[in-house]
Structures are given as C-alpha cells and as structure tokens.
Amino acid sequence: MQPISIAPASACASRPIRCFSFLKETSTVFHQADPFAVSEYVNEHVGNHGLSLQRGGWSGKAALAHRKFGNIDLCRLAYGSQARIVSERLRDIYHLQFILRGQCRYELDHDSINLSAGQLMLINPDDPVDLTYSEDCEKFILRLPTYLLHNTCTEHQWQHPQEGIRFKPMPYRFDSLESLLYLLTLICQEAEAESLQPQLLNHYSRVIATKLMTMLNHNVSLEKPTLMDVSFESLVHYIDDNIKSDLCVENLAAQARMSMRSIYHLFERHAKTTPKHFIRQRKLQAVHNALMDPSSQFANITALALEYGFTHLGRFAETYRETFGQLPSEVLKQR
C-alpha cells in the first residue's frame, strides 16, 4: 500500500470552513476498537468491501457511529490506521462520502481523486471502489438505495438515462453545498431523537434525493414539463388516487383520452418502464409507507397486501425485498 502524503488536519479543513455535526455519542457502535470489527459491521450495514491496513498499522483506535433512517443509512467512521477499502461495486446503492478529518484517495479508471477534510464525493453503484484513508481520516457516509433516486426522477418527471442515474466522480467543497449539509445535520438529529416520527422518514428521504439531483453533477436532464409531461403527471396522480384499485392500461388510456399505444410511449419516455410495472411499483411503495407508518391500521401483512391487489403472497414478499432490501415482516418489526 502506497502511503498517503498527509497534511496537518483538524476537525475541519486547514482553511476555515463551517463544521457540521453528524451523529453524536448516542449513535456509537465502536470506540477504540479493532478496525476489522468495524469493517465487518460496515459490510453488514453500509456496503460490502474488503479492508487492508498498512503493515504494522493496526492501532485499535477504530470508531464507528451508525443510524438507520428509513431507507437510508447514516454512518460516521474512522479506522485509526492507514486503510485501503476495495469493492468490486456497490450494486444497488449510492455512497455520498464526506471527509471530516484527514485525507482520502479514490482510484478510478487509472486516475486518482484526492479528497481532504471539507470535501465530499458521490460513488455510483456500478463504479469499482478503491479508497485509501490516511491514518487520521474520519468520514461521514450517506448510503442511499438506487430506487430512491429513481423514484425521485419519476416524481419530478425527469427523464431516466438508459444507463441509469450516474453522478460525475468529482470532489465538492462543503462550503458550496451548505444547504445539503444543514439538511443532513437535521436528519442526524431526527435519527437520534427518542420520539422519532416514522411518518417523516419517507418525506426526509425524498427531500435528500431531490437535493442531490438538483445540486450535484449527473447525467439526468432536469427539463421543464411539456404538455406531454403534464399528461404523465396527471396519470401518476390518478394512479396514486386509485392505488387500491385493479388498474390497467385501458383505465389509463380512458382517463388520459389517449390510445393505449400512446400510453405505452408515455411511460417509456418518462419512467423507462411499462405502465403495468409502474403501477406495481407505486402499489409496493404504498404498502411500504403503510408498514412504516405507526398510525396505519391493518390486520396483518397478508390483509395489507391483498388490499393493494397482491394476491400471490410469496411473489409479493420477494418483490418487496428486491425493492426495499428487507421482507415486509422485517420492516413491520422495526416499526
């Protein structure tokens, strides 16, 4: 492992920047710990990777704080040694990485991106991960599932690129994204609150996703709606208003006064999927919202699934897990 040239670092970058508080002692999972114990926890909750340390670099000073906030994860960690993190890819998640202390080097496509305290970068799901932390490096990681950004694009009628949503691998300074950092500070406080309001989880997640799409550089075109866009938006509202009904393409065509062929073209253009698949995903999201909301009343998961038209319960549970990363029963237990 090639050592990183380390410049003096404090809790913030060497030039004056505003410090932000991400997770307090109440969220501590490890303190003065074995780096490999921290790595094992990160593998389970934040992202699959391999850890290697500089020879003779083990210090027993690794630390980690973690909170799950709905469908996102908040993680603050330090390995206490010069560490290299390698992963083939993140698969179905995005990682937003904030350097709070020290330095980090990111190797990508025969190029290196050097990050120092007061900088952040977003890693795409399909990008190989090769990160080297300085001994004094401390990071805050925001983990987001791909479907969250996908749903945000659909909600705002932003066109999805065929290759998926991809952010440019480039560093950003904290002081250029202060509103995003204030939002994350608030979310960390909400995640640590004793009286967490579950009904706010989806709202905050959507706000974060929208912030990222409007503030960072990516391959999505944020175009203003055209008349065709308005037709799609009205159909989305119609689907949501009748989400428990047995909706089909014929219903949508009649509602929009369009041909079925035009309906298929409309959904392909805006959602990159078929109307049937889009309706199913909105139904899954509605079931997920109900499972997360403590004020929602239902007899059991089977009754809830049937209420939204999922008659094949085994297939429903598997599709739900593929979409949200957990079985419905696991989400209900967390609530």
Side-chain angles (χ1 to χ4, degrees):
M1 182 187 302
Q2 294 296 321
I4 294 180
S5 176
I6 302 173
S10 59
C12 295
S14 54
R15 62 185 289 245
I17 64 171
R18 190 186 303 274
C19 290
F20 294 87
S21 175
F22 297 125
L23 300 180
K24 301 176 182 177
E25 292 183 359
T26 54
S27 299
T28 298
V29 180
F30 292 96
H31 178 65
Q32 299 288 320
D34 179 349
F36 291 98
V38 171
S39 174
E40 183 177 351
Y41 183 94
V42 171
N43 263 318
E44 182 178 353
H45 297 277
V46 184
N48 188 50
H49 70 279
L51 168 69
S52 59
L53 303 179
Q54 184 182 22
R55 182 174 298 178
W58 188 86
S59 63
K61 295 181 179 180
L64 181 140
H66 173 250
R67 287 282 179 169
K68 192 163 185 65
F69 191 76
N71 48 18
I72 66 177
D73 282 85
L74 310 164
C75 179
R76 181 169 180 160
L77 69 88
Y79 284 107
S81 305
Q82 182 166 320
R84 185 183 181 190
I85 300 295
V86 177
S87 177
E88 182 179 352
R89 57 177 181 161
L90 298 174
R91 295 186 182 276
D92 58 351
I93 55 176
Y94 292 87
H95 267 197
L96 189 59
Q97 308 228 349
F98 301 76
I99 310 301
L100 306 179
R101 288 190 301 116
Q103 296 173 305
C104 175
R105 184 175 65 229
Y106 180 34
E107 303 287 350
L108 178 65
D109 295 333
H110 308 292
D111 193 15
S112 294
I113 299 175
N114 293 306
L115 302 167
S116 57
Q119 291 184 307
L120 62 96
M121 183 183 66
L122 194 144
I123 300 177
N124 295 301
D126 292 326
D127 289 340
V129 178
D130 190 344
L131 300 166
T132 302
Y133 301 170
S134 63
E135 183 178 346
D136 61 342
C137 184
E138 182 179 17
K139 303 176 74 170
F140 174 76
I141 298 174
L142 174 67
R143 176 188 184 276
L144 304 99
T146 53
Y147 70 80
L148 178 58
L149 294 178
H150 184 279
N151 290 347
T152 298
C153 284
T154 300
E155 180 181 353
H156 292 280
Q157 303 164 37
W158 297 328
Q159 295 188 27
H160 300 206
Q162 291 289 347
E163 66 273 22
I165 302 169
R166 296 188 61 80
F167 291 82
K168 293 184 179 179
M170 57 180 292
Y172 299 86
R173 291 200 56 80
F174 283 13
D175 52 15
S176 67
L177 301 171
E178 284 198 350
S179 62
L180 172 62
L181 274 72
Y182 280 122
L183 173 62
L184 291 175
T185 299
L186 173 62
I187 285 175
C188 286
Q189 292 172 355
E190 288 286 345
E192 294 175 321
E194 293 183 2
S195 56
L196 176 63
Q197 300 298 318
Q199 57 267 37
L200 295 178
L201 297 178
N202 289 328
H203 172 71
Y204 275 128
S205 297
R206 290 162 57 195
V207 172
I208 289 176
T210 301
K211 275 282 189 184
L212 295 179
M213 295 301 300
T214 55
M215 299 186 76
L216 304 187
N217 294 312
H218 48 70
N219 62 345
V220 179
S221 176
L222 310 184
E223 297 178 349
K224 292 184 178 180
T226 64
L227 289 178
M228 189 68 77
D229 296 329
V230 174
S231 298
F232 179 75
E233 182 181 13
S234 64
L235 283 178
V236 173
H237 286 309
Y238 173 75
I239 291 170
D240 289 341
D241 289 342
N242 298 274
I243 197 64
K244 295 182 180 180
S245 303
D246 186 15
L247 297 171
C248 62
V249 181
E250 289 85 352
N251 299 139
L252 302 184
Q255 176 67 21
R257 298 182 181 180
M258 299 170 65
S259 68
M260 290 177 56
R261 182 177 181 182
S262 296
I263 292 294
Y264 276 103
H265 284 317
L266 189 67
F267 277 82
E268 174 60 30
R269 176 184 175 185
H270 290 279
K272 300 301 179 186
T273 189
T274 64
K276 180 180 179 179
H277 183 265
F278 183 88
I279 292 170
R280 184 180 65 183
Q281 291 303 114
R282 301 297 279 197
K283 285 179 175 287
L284 281 171
Q285 185 64 55
V287 171
H288 180 69
N289 293 344
L291 289 172
M292 295 286 291
D293 185 357
S295 65
S296 141
Q297 300 295 321
F298 50 89
N300 49 50
I301 294 176
T302 297
L304 182 63
L306 292 173
E307 185 178 359
Y308 285 91
F310 295 102
T311 55
H312 194 301
L313 299 179
R315 189 179 304 156
F316 157 73
E318 184 59 30
T319 304
Y320 185 97
R321 181 167 60 180
E322 291 175 357
T323 303
F324 299 104
Q326 293 177 295
L327 289 170
S329 57
E330 295 172 335
V331 175
L332 187 58
K333 286 179 181 178
Q334 291 178 357
R335 186 182 86 166

